[in-house]
Amino acid sequence: MTSDRLTPDELRQLFLFESLTPEQLAHLAEHGRVEHRGAGEAVYVEGEPASCFFVLLDGTVAMHQRVQGDEVEVSRTDKRGVYGGAMQAYIGDPAEQRYRNSLRAVTDCAVFAVPAAIIADAMRAWFPMATHLLEGLFVGMRNTQTIVGERERLLALGALSAGLTHELNNPAAAAVRATAALRGRVAKMRHKLAMIADGRLDGRRLHDLVALQEEAVKRAAAASPLSPLAASDAEDELGDWLDEHGVRGAWELAPTLVAGGIDSGWLAQVDAAVGGDDLESAVHWITYTIDTELLMGEIDDAVTRVSGLVGAAKQYSQLDRAPYQTVDVHDLLDATLVMLHAKVPSGVRVVKEYDRSLPTVPAYAAELNQVWTNLIDNALGAMAGEGTLTVRTGRTDDSLTVEIRDTGAGIPPEVRPRIFEPFFTTKAVGEGTGLGLDISYRIVVNKHHGDIRVRSEPGDTRFTVLLPLTPA
């Protein structure tokens, strides 16, 4: 790299400086210098301290953005006077700023370099109003993005909380109903047991009845659900047997007995054990026993469902876990799907195609859950109540991939390049802030050094998230 200087008249030939006064041109000429780069050399590198502002004098340069550890070419130009580098030196302290992209020489080139501090002082002194306006624009947009982003997170949290509350209410209500019914059944069991054991049954028969009760419990636990038609036929057959043997309320008893795996052949054993006089009380007692077991099964299922939902909520929020950890993305995806279950329309089918052989990945789990939430929520909205949501995992080279696919109308080609821009949205006014994909992009690309890719056509839209398998 070699360097020399430009005269004020030479600087005036650059469109960026053509309106400056002779004194201003002289100031830049005094502090600036011409630098030369050979083909393939970097003019400046993304992430390094933004120490200079550069203007292209000759040659061809290419601008690159770092994506998943690789530099992706964003633009290429040979237009004399184009500029880059410390573009926002006049905002805040120039020493604390870093280059937001990289610029590389495609051919041998020459650039005019001005220290960032000189550009910052010049902008503030020469164009104070413009500097205030630009600073207000950048800072205001950043603050607005922060506030709107927080508001969007709160709204999303409210929607998720409402969905979780709805999901918790169903099993909780089922457990309450089953508990109330169970209390009544236990009271009736005590009453029937008193009638059976009032002295009319000898010890041997009572022992046989208790043994049959235990067998009924095991039958109820192992009973397989019957089809509606098969259950109806079995209830009719069992009801006829009960009527023939003088057991009152057969139509009430038969459904519970059939659900517990009891048939007429088994009831014949009860008849033989207690005799005809006590058959009705014994059948009622066994029915209450089976009903009690079935109700306890309902309570167990309901409580298990509640526990599962709470576990999914903890997995989703990553409560009491380290922010950065090694995670199984399938656990994160499952937790997100559980949290969003209430938002999935009845006409949408959810398909999970997981590659369970994938290794765990280092990640900020809670923030990845936010990415899955944004992508799945957008996919559900795109399908307008009908379609198929596919969540697929796989591997591409050294990256784990998560694909969210929907069968909606697709993204129009003219708006596709803008979907990751802050505040850009295709939703109606009031339905979206346009920050969901921007936040997702920053989480995946900036924080995890991964990538998000999109492919869309009517009936097939796919967002693919790539995450490095090894720590960045």
Side-chain angles (χ1 to χ4, degrees), residues 172-189:
V176 170
R177 289 193 301 269
T179 301
L182 180 61
R183 185 176 291 109
R185 298 300 186 276
V186 171
K188 291 182 178 180
M189 281 181 65

Side-chain angles (χ1 to χ4, degrees), residues 211-224:
L212 288 170
Q213 181 193 33
E214 291 299 320
E215 185 180 341
V217 170
K218 294 178 181 178
R219 277 177 167 261
S224 300

